[in-house]
Amino acid sequence: MITLNQRRVEASGTLLETCRAAGIPIAALCYDQRLSVGGHCRSCLVEADGRYVAACSTPALDGMSVLTDSAELAAYRRDLGELMLAESAPLGSVEAELSAWGTTGQHYASRRQTAPVDTSHPYLRIDLARCIVCRLCERACAEVQGQFVYAFEGRGAGAHLAWGVEKFADSDCVGCGACVAICPTHALSDVDCEREPANARSVRTTCGYCGVGCQLEVHVDADRVARIEGAHDAAVNRGHLCVKGRYAHAFARHRERLTAPLIRRNGRLEPASWDEAIGLVAGEFLRLRAFSAGLSSSRCTNEENYLFQKWFRAGLGTNNVDCCARVCHAPSAAGMRASFGTGAATNSFADIEGADLLLIVGANVTEAHPIVGARIKQAALRGATLIVIDPRNTEIAAMADLHLQVRPGANVPLFNSLACAIVEAGLVNRAFINDRVEGWDTYEPLIRRQAPEAVAALTGVAPAIVREAARRYATARSPMMFHGLGVTEHYQGSESVSLLCNLAILTGALGRAGVGVNPLRGQNNVQGAADMGCDPGFLPGYQSVDDAVARAKFESAWGRVLPAHRGLTIPEMHEAARRGELRAMYIFGEDVAQTDPDSGQTVKALKNLEFLVVQELFLSETAKLAHVVLPGASFLEKNGTFTNGERRIQRVRAALTPLAGTRPDLEIIEALMAATGLPQAAASPSGVMDEIAGLTPIYAGVSYARLESDGLQWPVPSPDHSGTPILYETTFARGRARLACVEFRPSPSFGASLGLITGRVLEHYNAGTMTRRSPNLRLRPTDELEIHPRDAAARGIKDGARVRLRSVSGEAHATARLTDRVSPGVVFLSFHDPATTANSVTGDVRDRLTDCPEYKLTAVEVEPSEH
Ligand code: SF4
Ligand code: SF4
């Protein structure tokens, strides 16, 4: 107990925390409970046992006598405020605080800084005249984002914020906005929203970019986004966002948005009424129903995806329905299902904080999943061991304790050799194997033949590093694994995922907090689209189409007989279209002409269709080929749910009204269902979710009322179940986990003199449809080809020069960037700019089990170009 202003109160933590717990307001201008204590501003000075101390950094000790409200302290704060006003002109919460202290700004002569306002960055505005040197921005950048952009230079009254280069835009800033969000003076502000508009309202929703699923607070003024901040109480992102989620929202009101249905007449797409367009699409799909297929959208909500596959299955009578999980994480689902029985992340993002080792495999996590990346960086900075397996020296690889720079295409021998090293070192968790695993007796002799030394020539990784990585993983208290498309988008993608599962099985790193196997899902709702049955082989909830009992349940609910045989995957759809066997296709929110591999062949397939419908926000490369284009709504304009990469089902809430002329996608699909004789009874998003819950055991306990705060992680088997943050605590979905025995089968491109890896960069998302219609374009105008200086010199290529890539499939053009982020023999290219035509080069090699394309290895040649 302490005596606080003559009151006896419980001591807890620091004096500041004790005061606040006791309801005593106390200023602390440089304090934020998410950050380390700064103790810079001295605004929280209190009198403790006769001495003046900073409450934020002084522990509350039993028996202390503390005063916060003496006349001396009030005078001290007033004087502190006067000094601040002599040196700065703060706005925001500090302006209000100083006013409450009775400061006037008249007391001392002004010594304010005169540096010009920096507006060089597309999103951040820096006005040092408002800075009070509280250093919150410096700590937020370091401790939330792990970026260390800021330092304070000078001393005393001359201390000022610095970022190492003249213009802020040239600094190492990644545009996360954490510093802006925390700045209490508006010294740092959003460039186009220095002050909150008076009438702004806030809507909480889920980010529409990547599968992390950050929660947004969208501030809306006059039906436009004024600014976006991270929801502070969100489990996923705890107030933090990346440059896409926080800033890249201009696309929603971009002048290129489609605002009317388009119908092709005489070779040209012309505006049409909704009635005419819906009638035409319904009529043509009824006519061609036996030869039709649908590609659903991982950008769109669970409810929209559910109705899309329902329409195809029950309305048109075909299982030819797939989604972009096919081209990214279908191998994760298949590989994990084979090992554990369920094909989804075993654990939660929050577990990162409890892990003492993080193994990141084939994932450029700080660029592709930035908030998970920031959490992993923070864990590493706090002392967790970081092991990265990646052919590229990415940001996270450069931070790692061990970087296994594997040769592209050699994942299978490398993962097997890690397992071999665990077995040989006697580090197998035999109790776990005995209790919960099958296949050990077959597996052990086979894996002992995969020693790191035996496969080093294939993998390119020194055996000593492999053995050290294996030792550290197997001896860690809580080793947590994340993997990305560098594992799945390969010829043996599914089998590679199973081999990663083997590592967790061998060490018993499953079924508890801080461990597991966790695929980093790509698009915002790729997990949900797969959950909803946008797969030719599965009804919602991964219930097989050839399971007669499951089928009967859906037939009873939907009132139609359903097809019993598996439908076509995306690559099979394209092949069937090229052969003329598939005649109608409906592509919902995907730009396959730009993002699918071997795009020359994709375009040929689309052009061969008798009838192509595209539902989109913009006239994408795919939409340009359509017979009918239907303008949908963006995630900022509709209601529903997304399911993120940790199986968390979260609400999507409309912040804006749909742009005039567009319709929410759910309404478009419902109109088509009605026009083709399958009217949807429960038409609202929440009604559709109730229908989903009734038919999908893993969503059985989900309803909108239960998703209000942080959502629920499936399985949610009943309305009173609180969700499942950790899978397999007591048993695996298939009973016992299975150890996979996998032999290496090299991809046709393995061993090429130059192997191309394609992937994403931080500033853009997939086809760039949204981010390229935002100021992110200024941050990264186009795609660049990363090439090692040695490979560049051998080909006469200079940094910044234009180059041509050639493969057996086609050619692409980009600007060369000479860098040792890639090894000799490896080049990297992103695919966000349609002008690059990156996927003209990628080929038709696919994962042996799921048809997922091998985006991560294509044999290419590179040469200087005038293009
Ligand atoms: S925006 Fe993010 S990365 Fe850039 S300076 Fe601020 S906190 Fe650091
Ligand atoms: S990490 Fe992903 S979900 Fe989060 S703000 Fe960035 S793009 Fe959105």
Side-chain angles (χ1 to χ4, degrees):
M1 300 290 282
I2 68 170
T3 306
L4 183 56
N5 297 345
Q6 283 84 47
R7 264 173 64 202
R8 299 280 290 160
V9 301
E10 197 71 47
S12 68
T14 63
L15 287 178
L16 179 66
E17 288 160 346
T18 303
C19 288
R20 288 187 171 172
I24 293 177
I26 188 160
L29 304 184
C30 72
Y31 176 82
D32 187 288
Q33 61 182 7
R34 292 166 298 170
L35 305 179
S36 61
V37 171
H40 302 296
C41 75
R42 318 303 285 177
S43 64
C44 65
L45 222 64
V46 295
E47 188 183 332
D49 295 335
R51 289 187 308 122
Y52 290 106
V53 297
C56 68
S57 55
T58 305
L61 302 176
D62 261 351
M64 264 182 171
S65 177
V66 179
L67 278 179
T68 68
D69 59 357
S70 66
E72 289 81 2
L73 283 168
Y76 161 79
R77 279 191 203 108
R78 217 165 26 247
D79 198 47
L80 179 70
E82 295 293 355
L83 283 167
M84 282 182 184
L85 288 179
E87 290 165 10
S88 63
L91 298 177
S93 62
V94 168
E95 181 187 29
E97 189 70 56
L98 298 193
S99 167
W101 293 351
T103 52
T104 62
Q106 310 293 319
H107 206 75
Y108 297 108
S110 174
R111 297 179 298 191
R112 287 178 188 166
Q113 299 190 38
T114 54
V117 176
D118 188 310
T119 55
S120 60
H121 194 278
Y123 295 123
L124 276 72
R125 176 185 193 277
I126 305 182
D127 183 354
L128 292 183
R130 291 182 182 152
C131 176
I132 58 166
V133 196
C134 68
R135 298 187 167 216
L136 279 168
C137 57
E138 183 188 31
R139 279 177 285 147
C141 187
E143 296 175 25
V144 177
Q145 179 56 31
Q147 201 64 19
F148 304 96
V149 170
Y150 296 121
F152 276 80
E153 293 179 349
R155 297 174 66 83
H160 63 276
L161 184 63
W163 44 85
V165 286
E166 190 184 337
K167 288 184 188 162
F168 185 76
D170 297 329
S171 72
D172 291 337
C173 173
V174 294
C176 72
C179 55
V180 170
I182 209 163
C183 176
T185 69
H186 295 202
L188 305 178
S189 61
D190 289 346
V191 80
D192 59 354
C193 186
E194 200 188 338
R195 283 178 186 264
E196 184 86 1
N199 297 320
R201 62 189 173 87
S202 173
V203 178
R204 182 166 175 151
T205 191
T206 304
C207 180
Y209 282 109
C210 85
V212 174
C214 294
Q215 292 298 288
L216 313 178
E217 290 290 349
V218 183
H219 297 255
V220 181
D221 180 43
D223 210 25
R224 298 186 81 85
V225 176
R227 68 186 175 93
I228 293 179
E229 59 180 0
H232 286 273
D233 58 346
V236 171
N237 53 310
R238 300 176 303 185
H240 195 31
L241 293 173
C242 78
V243 68
K244 295 184 285 286
R246 190 183 295 274
Y247 289 122
H249 51 75
F251 71 90
R253 289 292 184 255
H254 195 277
R255 60 189 153 71
E256 289 171 5
R257 278 283 300 272
L258 297 168
T259 53
L262 303 174
I263 294 177
R264 190 171 295 279
R265 303 183 217 266
N266 302 318
R268 293 171 45 141
L269 285 168
E270 295 178 353
S273 72
W274 273 103
D275 283 350
E276 186 187 9
I278 293 289
L280 176 61
V281 173
E284 286 298 271
F285 269 83
L286 283 175
R287 182 175 70 85
L288 298 168
R289 61 198 302 166
F291 314 98
S292 67
L295 177 47
S296 200
S297 177
S298 299
R299 316 294 292 150
C300 293
T301 66
N302 286 322
E303 294 76 4
E304 290 155 355
N305 277 287
Y306 170 82
L307 286 194
F308 189 84
Q309 60 83 39
K310 177 179 175 180
W311 179 45
F312 269 82
R313 291 195 157 107
L316 302 174
T318 176
N319 279 324
N320 291 344
V321 61
D322 207 353
C323 74
C324 82
R326 179 71 47 206
V327 295
C328 63
H329 270 294
S332 290
M336 295 178 74
R337 198 178 299 123
S339 295
F340 305 139
T342 300
T346 62
N347 285 65
S348 304
F349 298 143
D351 286 12
I352 293 168
E353 278 78 51
D356 63 341
L357 182 143
L358 291 147
L359 173 58
I360 315 300
V361 192
N364 181 11
V365 66
T366 58
E367 296 202 62
H369 300 86
I371 295 306
V372 169
R375 288 177 87 154
I376 290 171
K377 281 166 75 173
Q378 293 308 327
L381 290 168
R382 282 194 304 270
T385 300
L386 183 59
I387 300 175
V388 174
I389 299 175
D390 202 301
R392 297 168 68 212
N393 190 21
T394 57
E395 181 188 5
I396 203 74
M399 284 184 74
D401 297 278
L402 294 171
H403 176 198
L404 283 62
Q405 198 159 7
V406 62
R407 182 167 293 146
N411 283 343
V412 165
L414 180 66
F415 300 168
N416 272 333
S417 69
L418 281 162
C420 177
I422 291 171
V423 172
E424 287 188 347
L427 296 173
V428 172
N429 183 335
R430 294 307 304 263
F432 191 84
I433 297 283
N434 291 340
D435 291 349
R436 303 191 58 183
V437 177
E438 69 183 33
W440 170 253
D441 290 342
T442 311
Y443 175 79
E444 189 200 1
L446 291 175
I447 203 64
R448 283 186 182 276
R449 292 183 212 149
Q450 303 287 327
E453 293 74 10
V455 299
L458 290 172
T459 65
V461 184
I465 297 181
V466 177
R467 290 193 182 278
E468 179 60 10
R471 186 190 67 76
R472 291 204 195 186
Y473 179 80
T475 57
R477 172 182 44 81
S478 296
M480 187 171 192
M481 188 193 304
F482 288 94
H483 72 265
L485 305 184
V487 176
T488 60
E489 290 178 342
H490 273 296
Y491 183 54
Q492 286 187 283
S494 303
E495 292 158 300
S496 298
V497 171
S498 288
L499 295 184
L500 290 179
C501 296
N502 281 359
L503 301 180
I505 292 169
L506 289 172
T507 54
L510 289 159
R512 55 192 167 92
V515 297
V517 181
N518 298 282
L520 287 162
R521 310 304 302 246
Q523 306 218 51
N524 54 319
N525 198 34
V526 65
Q527 179 70 59
D531 294 349
M532 292 301 107
C534 295
D535 184 298
F538 291 106
L539 292 155
Y542 306 98
Q543 300 172 84
S544 178
V545 294
D546 55 20
D547 175 344
V549 176
R551 225 173 38 246
K553 178 176 68 174
F554 283 91
E555 286 173 343
S556 163
W558 294 347
R560 294 287 191 285
V561 175
L562 299 179
H565 53 277
R566 189 183 76 84
L568 299 174
T569 63
I570 298 172
E572 290 168 344
M573 290 176 194
H574 293 335
E575 282 166 11
R578 284 193 292 273
R579 289 195 303 269
E581 294 164 10
L582 189 76
R583 293 163 59 190
M585 229 179 136
Y586 196 117
I587 300 182
F588 171 26
E590 297 289 344
D591 189 5
V592 295
Q594 192 181 335
T595 58
D596 277 18
D598 200 355
S599 47
Q601 289 300 310
T602 304
V603 169
K604 196 170 163 189
L606 299 179
K607 284 184 171 172
N608 213 29
L609 291 165
E610 203 172 316
F611 193 62
L612 172 63
V613 179
V614 174
Q615 190 167 323
E616 255 300 354
L617 300 180
F618 297 97
L619 196 63
S620 65
E621 299 304 302
T622 308
K624 287 174 189 167
L625 303 172
H627 300 91
V628 177
V629 182
L630 301 176
S634 76
F635 79 95
L636 289 163
E637 299 162 318
K638 58 184 167 186
N639 293 300
T641 56
F642 293 153
T643 304
N644 78 352
E646 53 170 9
R647 300 170 279 103
R648 188 182 297 275
I649 307 151
Q650 302 186 109
R651 281 296 316 275
V652 177
R653 298 179 183 86
L656 308 177
T657 53
L659 207 57
T662 69
R663 286 188 182 176
D665 298 271
L666 200 72
E667 287 181 21
I668 299 172
I669 299 163
E670 286 171 349
L672 288 166
M673 291 173 78
T676 49
L678 186 74
Q680 171 63 19
S684 69
S686 66
V688 175
M689 177 53 80
D690 292 343
E691 182 175 320
I692 294 167
L695 291 165
T696 312
I698 56 175
Y699 279 62
V702 177
S703 64
Y704 276 23
R706 299 195 66 208
L707 297 177
E708 273 310 308
S709 55
D710 252 339
L712 291 165
Q713 287 172 274
W714 66 254
V716 192
S718 62
D720 58 356
H721 192 280
S722 58
T724 312
I726 301 169
L727 295 179
Y728 318 134
E729 285 178 305
T730 54
T731 185
F732 289 96
R734 65 185 305 283
R736 294 173 82 87
R738 173 179 157 274
L739 283 162
C741 302
V742 178
E743 277 180 33
F744 180 43
R745 295 168 201 266
S747 153
S749 295
F750 185 68
S753 58
L754 210 51
L756 170 70
I757 300 172
T758 62
R760 296 186 202 139
V761 297
L762 171 70
E763 296 82 0
H764 290 294
Y765 205 78
N766 274 21
T769 313
M770 290 146 70
T771 50
R772 288 182 62 79
R773 291 180 175 93
S774 79
N776 280 31
L777 198 56
R778 272 177 61 198
L779 292 169
R780 180 84 72 148
T782 187
D783 298 312
E784 291 181 343
L785 180 84
E786 292 182 0
I787 184 168
H788 192 274
R790 202 189 308 166
D791 287 328
R795 292 163 176 80
I797 294 167
K798 301 251 180 318
D799 190 50
R802 295 291 293 169
V803 291
R804 176 177 20 245
L805 288 85
R806 281 187 290 106
S807 73
V808 293
S809 301
E811 64 178 47
H813 294 84
T815 301
R817 190 61 59 210
L818 274 55
T819 173
D820 60 5
R821 271 165 67 94
V822 289
S823 307
V826 177
V827 290
F828 172 84
L829 180 65
S830 55
F831 53 88
H832 307 297
D833 185 350
T836 307
T837 63
N839 278 311
S840 297
V841 175
T842 51
D844 64 355
V845 179
R846 303 177 208 155
D847 172 39
R848 290 170 358 105
L849 305 184
T850 66
D851 269 356
C852 177
E854 185 167 55
Y855 288 106
K856 302 301 182 193
L857 181 58
T858 307
V860 293
E861 202 29 87
V862 180
E863 60 199 13
S865 164
E866 298 300 315
H867 190 280

